[in-house]
Amino acid sequence: MHVYPIVAAAVWGMAGGLLLPRAAHRLAVPSGEPWAAGCRAGHPLPAGPRGWVGPAHCAGCGGAGRWSGAGLLPAVLCAALCAGITAVTGVHPELAVWLLLVPVGLALALVDLRVFRLPDVLTLPALGGTAVLLGAAALLPSHDGSWPRALLAGAALGVLYLVLFLVNPAGMGFGDVKLAPTLGLALGWYGWSAVVNGTLAAFLLGAVAGLVLLASGRANRKTPIPFGPFMLLGSAVGLLLT
């Protein structure tokens, strides 16, 4: 495989990682509250698209606030995931779907880490868009997956997370339930082994993170831990293992 698609995917991921934190910051509010109208420092953000696209800090915060190392970390991770998925899955029509999902997943992870929620404004369009776009990809001769299997996997993973939520509502958020079908679609496109690998990776990563937090004294048995980031990262692992 030529290196150019991988580099292009990395550039796309870096751009998405730099442009989405402002939207994630504005969406990171408790349920029922209006979206945040100002940057992290409290400066009002402009109306329109500029108020949603860019770093979480605004121009009034100064260069150090806008380009801190912590602010670059999500962009680097997004670029690495886009490049890695491109290298593993190859240049097929469905690659466009993965490259759209990675930045959206990054925004969801940032919101969940801050306020323990996965907003419907991201999860529901991601579900519908993924199903439709994969269906369109399946119509092209160079696709490398199965749309019917993806739909079945999306339904199966959604049911699994719904059962887990009903059994233990305190340990599983309903936002996780609404995110699960999208991840099932992506993993199921490549096969049931990818679904199993991605799902197990999510729970394993979550368990390891919980143990590390307990061992370091930064959490106890009752401390809530957002599971959305581990679902997303586990799914990325499942795609990289295809």
Side-chain angles (χ1 to χ4, degrees):
M1 180 180 180
H2 293 295
V3 71
Y4 301 113
I6 299 174
V7 172
V11 172
W12 164 264
M14 180 66 72
L18 291 174
L19 294 177
L20 283 180
R22 181 170 297 178
H25 161 71
R26 296 194 66 175
L27 294 173
V29 295
S31 179
E33 293 190 9
W35 308 133
C39 73
R40 287 180 178 174
H43 303 126
L45 293 169
R50 289 197 306 121
W52 289 90
V53 176
H57 291 275
C58 66
C61 296
R66 286 182 286 131
W67 301 108
S68 64
L72 286 175
L73 181 60
V76 173
L77 177 60
C78 191
L81 285 175
C82 287
I85 291 173
T86 300
V88 170
T89 63
V91 182
H92 298 281
E94 62 272 13
L95 177 61
V97 185
W98 315 148
L99 294 181
L100 289 172
L101 279 178
V102 170
V104 174
L106 170 65
L108 282 167
L110 292 174
V111 173
D112 203 15
L113 286 169
R114 290 194 63 189
V115 294
F116 298 94
R117 66 177 297 224
L118 296 166
D120 291 349
V121 71
L122 292 180
T123 55
L124 299 184
L127 174 57
T130 301
V132 171
L133 291 175
L134 285 180
L139 298 176
L140 300 176
S142 58
H143 75 274
D144 187 26
S146 169
W147 188 53
R149 184 178 58 219
L151 294 177
L152 287 173
L157 207 58
V159 170
L160 171 64
Y161 274 84
L162 178 60
V163 170
L164 293 174
F165 170 76
L166 294 175
V167 170
N168 184 20
M172 179 75 62
F174 199 60
D176 300 329
V177 177
K178 287 180 279 190
L179 174 62
T182 303
L183 304 180
L185 282 166
L187 295 168
W189 177 263
Y190 290 113
W192 291 105
S193 61
V195 177
V196 172
N197 290 337
T199 304
L200 290 179
F203 285 99
L204 178 61
L205 290 169
V208 170
L211 289 173
V212 170
L213 290 174
L214 285 172
S216 63
R218 299 175 62 184
N220 56 48
R221 294 181 181 274
K222 296 184 178 181
T223 302
I225 298 176
F227 192 55
F230 301 110
M231 294 174 64
L232 292 159
L233 190 56
S235 297
V237 171
L239 288 178
L240 292 173
L241 292 176
T242 56

